[in-house]
Amino acid sequence: MIKKLLLSSILLFPSIYFAQVTFTNATSNLVNPNLTSGVAIGVCDMNGDGLDDIIRLDDARYLQIEYQNTNGVFTRLNYGNLAGTGNEWGLCIADVDENGYNDIFTGGAYNGKKLLIANSTGTNYTSNSLSGSNIFIQNLNFIDIDNNGTIDIFACHDEGVSSAYNNDGNGNMTQDNAGLINAVSTIPSDNSGNYGSIWVDYDNDGDQDLYISKCRLGVSNPNDGRRVNLLFQNDGSGNFTEVGVAAGLVPYAQSWSANFEDIDNDGDLDCVLINHDVSSIIYVNNGNGTFTDITATSGIATELNDLGSGGIQVIMEDFDNDTFIDLFITSRYASHALFKNNGDLTFSKMPSPFGLGSDNIQSAAVGDLNNDGFIDVVAGFAIGYNSPTNDPDILFYNNGNSNNWSEIRLQGGPSNINGIGARIELHTATGIQIREVRSGESYGTMNSLMTHFGLGTQTAITKIVVKWPSGIVDELFNPNINESILIIEGATLGDNQFTNTDIKIYPNPTKNNVTIEGLKDITNASYSIFDISGKMVKNNSMFFNNEATINLSSYDSGVYFVHLKTDSKKLVYKVVKE
């Protein structure tokens, strides 16, 4: 009886038992505290120092990057005006040429598709306009669609079929809908209405599937193909089948954006979908490739319905580090809202966590922007859908609490260098949490590539498991808590984990040189070297003979990772320098 009364009290008065999540305005730490973004905002480590940075487009046009420093303030790169005219709508970030520095892809309403490639020091960018059909860009994703170890592009097109771009391995992109994915509507239409896109392994089979939120303003027929959401199931061989209706993820609504995370910690990814003509929806994954609508029993059904046509983005993170994923929804009209996960498939609205009163946050990106283990927010304000107001962006630091945490950074080798598409499991005595690494989420925004886990009062991690897109599985046992951890693909598998290849590296350990043997009949072989912190210490050096020597005599003693790239494969070797 006492337990029943306690549970009833928690549900009626959650703030009594759950600490309030609050934020502090830290905009004064920025170089430009007066910037106005619009919608496209990004948070990502741009220079490889392990700290999240802020990527913004002033007046939705002028690129500025503010780099986080360890002293709590930021430094800035003011790139300036992007090519073309008009506002940018979408933004995603990844290292497409694998030089150790992340690149930027952005675009808008028929104003070009701009791929900004970082130089060899990460201090500036060269803008390349992609060829192919001109499109009205909404959301953007970097994703290795064909799982060949290089990062491709998926671009939502508002007024026609979305575009996929194939990476040749050097960061050069070619439009290739036929070879990668042809994301056409199952109901014949002009294929317009593509707004939010997210790549996710919804069916736990180890490959990345695609969900597209469809919305076509002025179309009232719910069965019109221009507003019927699409779920493309990947068979693991690059063949995609549309299964949205069978999976239960088609509400026949004007859908704006979606996100997927495990809200009940049961090992599969659940979905929150923002709609504009019916209530927004929380779907729980049934574990068999289908979903069930639990909005009515979620505790926030009224709030989700009250969003009306205002909802823009849904961000799913553990903001209070209690081990459960919370929901942050931005909005045009209704006020933004932060919903705390109660741990029982219900949520409670946090009262005014940002202290903004009636002002509504329309766009936001998140990451750890003061390196304290709690998720912070960069907030933007707009009118319409993508026109900045006169209200400057705000940097909100999470005030945090006593809960513990872990943050994971990935560096791929055979997989793409950012580990996009990887599944991370964190095991503790109380269970398992899962996350995926994504570039481009919700609607037009980029959240941190660093994966964040709240541990609550847990004081130990049993192990961290990384399931890479290549199929390699790394396991790190008993890592420290309250730290940012770098995991390099294959690092836990031994000195030479690729025993099925004719390519060998020896001696290992070594005092001076290592030899690469087995390059006969292989063309365009090159290598890069990374140290144990993930810093690239040698970039993209070519081999010109069948057996090549790498001189490590000038390097300090320690562990290094040799990334070997050929025309047909990508390999990683761990080398110990004595």
Side-chain angles (χ1 to χ4, degrees):
M1 182 67 179
I2 294 176
K3 288 183 178 179
K4 290 183 178 180
L5 289 173
L6 177 59
L7 177 60
S8 299
S9 299
I10 291 174
L11 295 177
L12 289 172
F13 306 105
S15 60
I16 294 176
Y17 294 92
F18 300 128
Q20 163 72 5
V21 179
T22 61
F23 296 81
T24 295
N25 187 330
T27 312
S28 60
N29 289 342
L30 299 176
V31 177
N32 185 358
N34 299 311
L35 188 150
T36 55
S37 285
V39 167
I41 303 176
V43 170
C44 189
D45 177 9
M46 299 300 292
N47 55 2
D49 64 356
L51 302 175
D52 278 332
D53 308 309
I54 300 172
I55 304 89
R56 296 183 292 170
L57 301 171
D58 194 14
D59 289 332
R61 290 286 311 283
Y62 303 91
L63 174 64
Q64 296 187 21
I65 300 173
E66 300 230 12
Y67 299 96
Q68 182 185 167
N69 296 301
T70 56
N71 60 2
V73 299
F74 290 76
T75 55
R76 180 179 63 161
L77 168 64
N78 188 2
Y79 178 89
N81 190 25
L82 300 178
T85 59
N87 294 352
E88 310 299 343
W89 290 69
L91 178 74
C92 60
I93 295 168
D95 184 1
V96 299
D97 59 351
E98 300 197 346
N99 73 341
Y101 297 98
N102 280 322
D103 312 301
I104 303 168
F105 186 51
T106 187
Y110 300 108
N111 66 353
K113 296 154 289 186
K114 293 166 275 288
L115 179 60
L116 288 89
I117 301 293
N119 63 16
S120 60
T121 58
T123 55
N124 212 337
Y125 293 82
T126 299
S127 181
N128 302 300
S129 184
L130 300 191
S131 60
S133 56
N134 198 13
I135 64 175
F136 188 152
I137 287 176
Q138 297 283 352
N139 199 48
L140 294 170
N141 309 101
F142 278 126
I143 176 71
D144 186 359
I145 299 174
D146 52 2
N147 199 24
N148 67 348
T150 61
I151 299 168
D152 309 307
I153 289 173
F154 185 81
C156 276
H157 182 18
D158 187 10
E159 298 184 341
V161 66
S162 297
S163 293
Y165 283 83
N166 202 338
N167 187 344
D168 69 355
N170 296 309
N172 302 308
M173 300 283 181
T174 303
Q175 189 171 4
D176 185 13
N177 288 6
L180 292 176
I181 182 171
N182 192 21
V184 297
S185 300
T186 49
I187 301 172
S189 73
D190 63 5
N191 291 297
S192 62
N194 305 291
Y195 274 54
S197 55
I198 184 167
W199 290 82
V200 53
D201 182 9
Y202 82 95
D203 53 0
N204 278 3
D205 65 352
D207 53 51
Q208 290 287 293
D209 314 296
L210 170 65
Y211 186 67
I212 301 177
S213 306
K214 301 277 285 187
C215 180
R216 194 60 174 160
L217 299 181
V219 176
S220 58
N221 180 1
N223 294 300
D224 191 301
R226 293 170 291 180
R227 50 174 288 177
V228 176
N229 294 358
L230 301 171
L231 175 62
F232 291 95
Q233 184 182 47
N234 189 345
D235 70 354
S237 299
N239 303 305
F240 292 88
T241 303
E242 204 290 309
V243 296
V245 172
L249 287 179
V250 177
Y252 298 97
Q254 299 278 23
S255 299
W256 200 265
S257 64
N259 212 332
F260 288 75
E261 295 290 352
D262 187 2
I263 62 174
D264 51 358
N265 288 347
D266 68 344
D268 50 39
L269 297 170
D270 311 298
C271 177
V272 177
L273 177 65
I274 302 298
N275 299 313
H276 277 191
D277 59 339
V278 302
S279 174
S280 293
I281 300 171
I282 299 176
Y283 294 100
V284 68
N285 193 323
N286 298 321
N288 60 1
T290 67
F291 293 77
T292 297
D293 180 351
I294 64 163
T295 310
T297 58
S298 67
I300 54 171
T302 299
E303 289 84 352
L304 292 175
N305 184 68
D306 289 347
L307 286 171
S309 61
I312 298 291
Q313 295 160 1
V314 52
I315 297 169
M316 303 175 71
E317 287 281 358
D318 184 357
F319 285 96
D320 56 0
N321 286 358
D322 70 345
T323 77
F324 291 104
I325 290 287
D326 309 305
L327 311 180
F328 176 35
I329 297 177
T330 69
S331 177
R332 293 172 62 204
Y333 304 130
S335 177
H336 57 266
L338 178 61
F339 300 107
K340 177 179 171 52
N341 189 334
N342 298 325
D344 58 358
L345 289 176
T346 70
F347 295 83
S348 299
K349 185 176 181 179
M350 292 286 95
S352 192
F354 301 99
L356 287 174
S358 60
D359 289 342
N360 59 295
I361 296 172
Q362 178 152 330
S363 186
V366 301
D368 187 354
L369 290 164
N370 58 354
N371 199 33
D372 68 347
F374 286 82
I375 292 295
D376 309 304
V377 175
V378 181
F381 307 88
I383 56 176
Y385 293 108
N386 193 32
S387 297
T389 69
N390 294 323
D391 296 323
D393 298 352
I394 298 178
L395 169 60
F396 287 106
Y397 282 162
N398 190 326
N399 291 328
N401 54 45
S402 61
N403 285 338
N404 295 316
W405 53 273
S406 180
E407 290 176 341
I408 315 300
R409 296 183 291 131
L410 298 186
Q411 182 181 295
S415 303
N416 66 83
I417 193 170
N418 297 107
I420 295 167
R423 171 73 66 90
I424 303 176
E425 299 176 355
L426 184 140
H427 296 240
T428 67
T430 59
I432 303 172
Q433 298 182 56
I434 64 172
R435 304 283 192 273
E436 289 187 339
V437 181
R438 303 183 184 125
S439 174
E441 289 184 82
S442 201
Y443 178 73
T445 57
M446 173 73 199
N447 296 319
S448 176
L449 289 169
M450 183 161 56
T451 306
H452 170 263
F453 292 90
L455 299 178
T457 59
Q458 290 291 304
T459 57
I461 301 170
T462 306
K463 66 178 177 178
I464 295 171
V465 179
V466 181
K467 299 178 179 178
W468 298 88
S470 66
I472 291 173
V473 178
D474 277 301
E475 293 187 333
L476 181 64
F477 291 91
N478 303 311
N480 292 336
I481 65 170
N482 298 335
E483 285 187 3
S484 175
I485 300 169
L486 174 67
I487 299 178
I488 298 175
E489 186 172 12
T492 68
L493 302 180
D495 294 334
N496 187 348
Q497 64 269 29
F498 297 97
T499 57
N500 61 342
T501 176
D502 294 330
I503 299 172
K504 307 297 181 185
I505 186 167
Y506 63 89
N508 191 13
T510 183
K511 292 183 178 180
N512 293 303
N513 301 322
V514 292
T515 296
I516 307 291
E517 180 184 273
L519 297 177
K520 185 179 180 180
D521 300 326
I522 293 177
T523 59
N524 298 323
S526 65
Y527 71 96
S528 300
I529 302 176
F530 294 81
D531 66 17
I532 192 66
S533 72
K535 179 182 178 181
M536 180 180 287
V537 295
K538 193 171 185 63
N539 178 32
N540 202 31
S541 298
M542 298 297 297
F543 290 127
F544 297 102
N545 50 32
N546 291 340
E547 291 188 8
T549 298
I550 301 175
N551 187 346
L552 298 177
S553 61
S554 63
Y555 294 87
D556 294 335
S557 298
V559 175
Y560 295 88
F561 295 88
V562 177
H563 288 221
L564 177 64
K565 183 189 296 185
T566 74
D567 282 341
S568 60
K569 63 183 67 176
K570 295 170 68 181
L571 307 174
V572 177
Y573 294 89
K574 183 170 71 174
V575 177
V576 177
K577 168 66 165 55
E578 295 181 326

